[in-house]
Amino acid sequence: MPRLKLTPMIEQYLSIKDRYQDAILFYLLGDFYEMFFEDAELAAGILEITLTSRNKKEEKPIPMCGVPYHAAKNYIARLIDQGYKIAICDQVEDPSLAKGLVKREVVRVITPGMIVDDDLLEAKSNNFVLSFFIHRDTAGLAILDISTGEFRVCEADSTDTLVSESVRIASREVLLPESARQDERFREIRTAFAEKSISFLEDADFEYAKSRERLLTLFKTVSLEGFGCENFTAGIIAAGAIIAYVSDTQKQAVGHIRRINPYILSAYLQVDDLSGRNLELTENIRSGSRKGTLISVLDKTVTAMGARLIKQWLNYPLMDISRIEERLDALEEARKNIAAIGEARLMLKTMADLERLGSKVTMGHGNARDLIALKQSFQTLPNLMSRLETLKAKLYEFKFPLDALDALALEIETSIRDDAPPTVYEGGLIREGYHEELDELIQISRDGKGWLARLENQQREVTGIPTLKVRYNKVFGYFIEVTKANASSVPDHYVRRQTLVNAERYITDELKQFEEKVLGAEDRRAKLEYDLFCLIREKVVKNNELIFKVARFIARLDCLFNLALLADQNDYHRPSFNHEGIIEIKNGRHPVVEKVLSGERFVPNDIRIDDQAAQVLIITGPNMAGKSTVLRQTALTVIMAQMGSYVPVSYTHLTL
């Protein structure tokens, strides 16, 4: 870098940037996030914004670009989509109290796998960060969706198996130790993911003792026995590395991550990546979209939580007949009560994304509108639960008391204004009547607006200037504005504050006294409202475990009702299972192809294969006769059945 005369601000910027070399630094300066040097050149090209420079008269001007503070999310989303990390650098002290340059620090690092903001997330998909480690002969992986708190871990003796599992998870970001750059054992996982998707952490983050201690500290336990993963080693190392990464990027506690769920790959039907892509389970092989995929047919859920869960069910078909039958029993009962299910789905449609809202609020990012969304969802729950009283299947059991959420809904109802703004620092959050001192401050502000209107009319009469205006802005405060054509009529006691092209702005002693009184009241009001809001938000946080339990129940309910409705509308039938290695299908149909046929009937097919006499079928016919369709529909029928769904057949008898 050329030798430059550095201002204190640029020195501060460089000292912070030095600690975040792998991220684009968004440096708050006034109402803009500014970028400098290489970050500015990179971001300007991607975001298609003007690249300018600072110190333009210097021999080597500093490249510079910026984005408005209030619109930063849109620009961050574009950079994240390109795989970049964003370090958010905000002011961390009151400018009015600062001596010299205002102190700034990075308050959060947003990466492809570390996103909490709803605006940056795909509602129907989890946003996983994946950590991968190989310990001796065992591979371990852990995944976390920080936006929902879902945290899972697994191990396998085969690295190939876990690489395949990593690809199936389709995480946005993969964490590996720095040594994995050269370690041949990690070559497959490096190859499976683009370099841009991989974040290499210090090897120390992947040490077993430190990883285990991080997990114990997070969960406030003395062992991991209660989670079923105490005997894991590679998996614990991978999971602990994720928590280290969360700590480094989020700069705060993450109380919504309350448990880690181990899973065994043999408990699920293993569909390798190549088969999954060719069957187009969740992604169209040509366009990469959902159009023409099995998930596009199966996902008619009405909540974001349900949409994520149905995708998980599809990606992880069960290998346990009793669990499959549990889901099928619930579908059968729902199908017999299809009218009531329709009413319940209308209520589900009004439910907010409780998983993500709960996480967002717990991490301190939630605003008043998020609390209102939670309140409205809590208020829907009693009526929804009453609709379930006739459903007796095990998966409809709800054992959580809702009294706490009823009380929380009432608290939010009486405290938070329905028209609250998206920001939490500028007032307008709390209802009148909720807090006596706040009501007094609101009254001062309200009286002030009337006083200003009266002052404006009075000064127009006194000066004879009909266009005189009394106005306010954040930079100059309150002022009297007079056009230059009327400047000669301005009284002597007016003190000039600012000159514009066509007008002059003035202040008077009377207006100055008013400014001190009102601005002081408005500042106190904004601070008090924020403090009250934080107290209310903390009450939500104390109930976050119950909120997540309700969220998971709502997601399951949505999936079951969704599959029951699909079965009723599409003439799907309940599959049965055997232990004899037989797959028998009568009048089988391809669930996707039959939906895209226009004006034609899908011709159903019969299939019977077993593991003894008929292990192989030879399917013949001319080109475009549907040979591969029969092949695929058989696989899709098995997958749908093992995820616990009814299937597009008149009869089927399947082996796992």
Side-chain angles (χ1 to χ4, degrees):
M1 185 178 294
R3 295 183 64 84
L4 298 168
K5 282 178 160 182
L6 300 180
T7 64
M9 189 205 76
I10 291 296
E11 285 183 343
Q12 182 189 66
Y13 170 87
L14 288 173
S15 70
I16 296 170
K17 173 64 182 176
D18 189 53
R19 302 196 297 274
Y20 296 92
Q21 291 293 325
D22 64 341
I24 296 173
L25 186 64
F26 271 41
Y27 180 90
L28 186 63
L29 197 59
D31 291 331
F32 280 76
Y33 278 121
E34 301 289 0
M35 289 150 275
F36 300 98
F37 300 105
E38 294 87 352
D39 282 359
E41 293 171 337
L42 176 64
I46 295 171
L47 300 176
E48 299 175 327
I49 56 179
T50 301
L51 179 67
T52 180
S53 61
R54 193 175 182 87
N55 300 345
K56 293 182 180 180
K57 295 181 180 179
E58 297 285 338
E59 182 181 348
K60 295 286 186 180
I62 298 171
M64 170 183 174
C65 70
V67 299
Y69 171 85
H70 67 274
K73 285 183 181 179
N74 299 326
Y75 296 100
I76 290 171
R78 291 169 64 181
L79 292 169
I80 290 291
D81 284 343
Q82 295 290 318
Y84 293 100
K85 301 177 183 179
I86 312 298
I88 305 296
C89 181
D90 285 346
Q91 295 175 350
V92 292
E93 69 174 334
D94 188 336
S96 64
L97 303 177
K99 294 181 180 179
L101 190 64
V102 178
K103 186 178 179 182
R104 291 177 176 84
E105 284 291 346
V106 170
V107 296
R108 184 162 53 120
V109 181
I110 305 173
T111 78
M114 289 282 110
I115 303 175
V116 179
D117 300 305
D118 301 342
D119 299 342
L120 308 182
L121 290 164
E122 164 58 47
K124 292 191 171 188
S125 297
N126 283 103
N127 192 69
F128 287 121
V129 60
L130 181 148
S131 176
F132 189 95
F133 192 74
I134 301 170
H135 176 74
R136 295 177 182 166
D137 296 326
T138 304
L141 72 77
I143 57 172
L144 170 69
D145 182 346
I146 196 171
S147 73
T148 66
E150 184 175 350
F151 195 16
R152 288 191 271 151
V153 62
C154 75
E155 288 188 341
D157 294 334
S158 166
T159 302
D160 291 348
T161 300
L162 273 203
V163 170
S164 179
E165 171 66 1
S166 299
V167 173
R168 172 163 65 168
I169 291 167
S171 57
R172 294 281 302 278
E173 186 175 11
V174 176
L175 309 180
L176 297 178
E178 182 64 34
S179 57
R181 290 182 189 271
Q182 306 298 330
D183 193 330
E184 276 301 296
R185 298 178 303 161
F186 291 86
R187 180 168 53 83
E188 289 182 63
I189 192 75
R190 292 198 311 265
T191 303
F193 290 90
E195 191 74 15
K196 201 188 296 183
S197 303
I198 300 176
S199 294
F200 292 96
L201 311 185
E202 294 180 7
D203 286 359
D205 290 332
F206 287 84
E207 291 177 5
Y208 174 78
K210 291 180 180 177
S211 287
R212 185 172 183 274
E213 187 58 36
R214 286 187 207 106
L215 295 173
L216 296 180
T217 302
L218 176 65
F219 300 130
K220 299 179 175 63
T221 58
V222 295
S223 83
L224 299 172
E225 195 72 45
F227 301 113
C229 57
E230 176 67 30
N231 296 324
F232 284 18
T233 300
I236 287 174
I237 293 171
I242 282 185
I243 298 307
Y245 193 59
V246 169
S247 177
D248 288 343
T249 58
Q250 302 307 297
K251 313 292 183 184
Q252 63 175 90
V254 280
H256 65 296
I257 305 174
R258 290 185 169 268
R259 63 177 298 109
I260 185 168
N261 297 309
Y263 68 104
I264 301 170
L265 292 177
S266 60
Y268 305 98
L269 175 63
Q270 296 300 295
V271 182
D272 64 273
D273 180 53
L274 183 61
S275 297
R277 281 190 285 119
N278 278 299
L279 289 171
E280 297 181 300
L281 299 180
T282 60
E283 189 175 291
N284 187 296
I285 200 169
R286 289 169 295 279
S287 67
S289 68
R290 282 167 60 106
K291 186 177 180 181
T293 62
L294 184 57
I295 192 68
S296 71
V297 173
L298 295 184
D299 180 14
K300 305 302 178 188
T301 54
V302 293
T303 70
M305 300 168 286
R308 293 193 293 270
L309 185 59
I310 197 76
K311 189 175 182 180
Q312 184 177 317
W313 284 8
L314 176 56
N315 282 328
Y316 291 90
L318 302 170
M319 291 294 288
D320 182 339
I321 287 182
S322 63
R323 290 185 65 195
I324 296 171
E325 294 290 358
E326 267 186 3
R327 291 181 187 175
L328 294 174
D329 288 344
L331 294 192
E332 184 170 344
E333 192 172 14
R335 196 172 180 184
K336 291 175 181 175
N337 294 272
I338 207 70
I341 296 311
E343 294 176 10
R345 275 169 58 88
L346 289 176
M347 294 181 194
L348 286 175
K349 205 168 187 176
T350 68
M351 300 293 288
D353 192 341
L354 299 181
E355 277 184 318
R356 284 186 169 161
L357 280 181
S359 299
K360 189 178 176 185
V361 170
T362 301
M363 292 183 69
H365 300 310
N367 60 25
R369 294 179 182 182
D370 295 324
L371 297 194
I372 291 170
L374 287 172
K375 173 199 74 174
Q376 292 168 342
S377 297
F378 298 158
Q379 291 172 335
T380 301
L381 283 173
N383 286 335
L384 177 62
M385 295 308 170
S386 69
R387 292 292 192 280
L388 306 182
E389 291 175 355
T390 58
L391 301 176
K392 305 302 179 185
K394 183 178 179 181
L395 293 182
Y396 296 127
E397 292 178 2
F398 184 84
K399 300 176 181 178
F400 316 121
L402 295 177
D403 295 353
L405 297 188
D406 291 340
L408 202 51
L410 182 60
E411 175 76 15
I412 297 170
E413 175 71 34
T414 56
S415 60
I416 303 295
R417 290 173 52 160
D418 290 333
D419 61 348
T423 60
V424 296
Y425 301 108
E426 297 174 7
L429 307 172
I430 307 298
R431 289 183 186 275
E432 289 186 62
Y434 180 73
H435 192 273
E436 186 175 344
E437 182 184 350
L438 178 62
D439 288 349
E440 292 176 4
L441 294 172
I442 291 173
Q443 190 60 43
I444 291 173
S445 297
R446 185 179 294 139
D447 289 347
K449 289 176 183 176
W451 187 88
L452 283 176
R454 290 193 295 274
L455 177 67
E456 185 176 84
N457 289 331
Q458 178 200 49
Q459 291 300 306
R460 285 179 177 180
E461 290 178 9
V462 169
T463 63
I465 304 172
T467 58
L468 179 148
K469 298 174 183 176
V470 179
R471 291 291 183 263
Y472 167 82
N473 67 37
K474 288 184 178 180
V475 177
F476 293 102
Y478 289 95
F479 53 83
I480 298 171
E481 185 172 289
V482 177
T483 60
K484 287 193 173 179
N486 292 296
S488 60
S489 302
V490 170
D492 293 339
H493 67 279
Y494 277 29
V495 178
R496 184 181 286 107
R497 176 169 266 191
Q498 184 190 16
T499 298
L500 303 179
V501 175
N502 296 313
E504 299 282 355
R505 289 176 174 175
Y506 302 89
I507 189 74
T508 66
D509 288 341
E510 186 181 19
L511 191 55
K512 196 168 186 179
Q513 290 171 8
F514 168 82
E515 181 177 78
E516 290 171 357
K517 175 185 175 184
V518 171
L519 289 186
E522 289 183 351
D523 288 344
R524 294 200 307 277
R525 171 188 173 178
K527 185 179 184 308
L528 180 56
E529 287 203 53
Y530 177 70
D531 291 343
L532 292 172
F533 171 76
C534 288
L535 291 174
I536 299 160
R537 187 167 63 185
E538 189 56 36
K539 293 179 182 179
V540 176
V541 173
K542 287 178 180 177
N543 287 278
N544 75 329
E545 190 166 5
L546 175 57
I547 293 171
F548 285 124
K549 286 179 180 178
V550 171
R552 286 191 287 271
F553 178 78
I554 294 297
R556 186 171 75 221
L557 208 60
D558 193 11
C559 286
L560 293 171
F561 289 172
N562 165 70
L563 291 177
L565 197 65
L566 287 174
D568 186 67
Q569 293 173 343
N570 298 327
D571 193 30
Y572 292 173
H573 291 269
R574 179 171 181 159
S576 60
F577 295 90
N578 65 77
H579 297 280
E580 287 75 51
I582 298 170
I583 293 179
E584 185 175 6
I585 297 172
K586 296 289 186 184
N587 294 315
R589 310 180 323 266
H590 193 297
V592 181
V593 172
E594 72 171 354
K595 287 293 182 185
V596 299
L597 286 176
S598 178
E600 298 181 60
R601 184 178 73 89
F602 186 95
V603 179
N605 305 280
D606 294 348
I607 291 289
R608 190 189 190 285
I609 52 178
D610 59 50
D611 62 0
Q612 298 295 323
Q615 290 182 319
V616 177
L617 298 183
I618 297 176
I619 305 174
T620 64
N623 290 342
M624 305 301 290
K627 300 184 293 296
S628 63
T629 300
V630 175
L631 210 68
R632 287 176 169 82
Q633 77 186 45
T634 304
L636 296 181
T637 297
V638 171
I639 289 171
M640 287 175 64
Q642 289 188 221
M643 69 177 276
S645 172
Y646 278 31
V647 290
V649 302
S650 60
Y651 166 83
T652 186
H653 198 48
L654 304 174
T655 192
L656 292 185

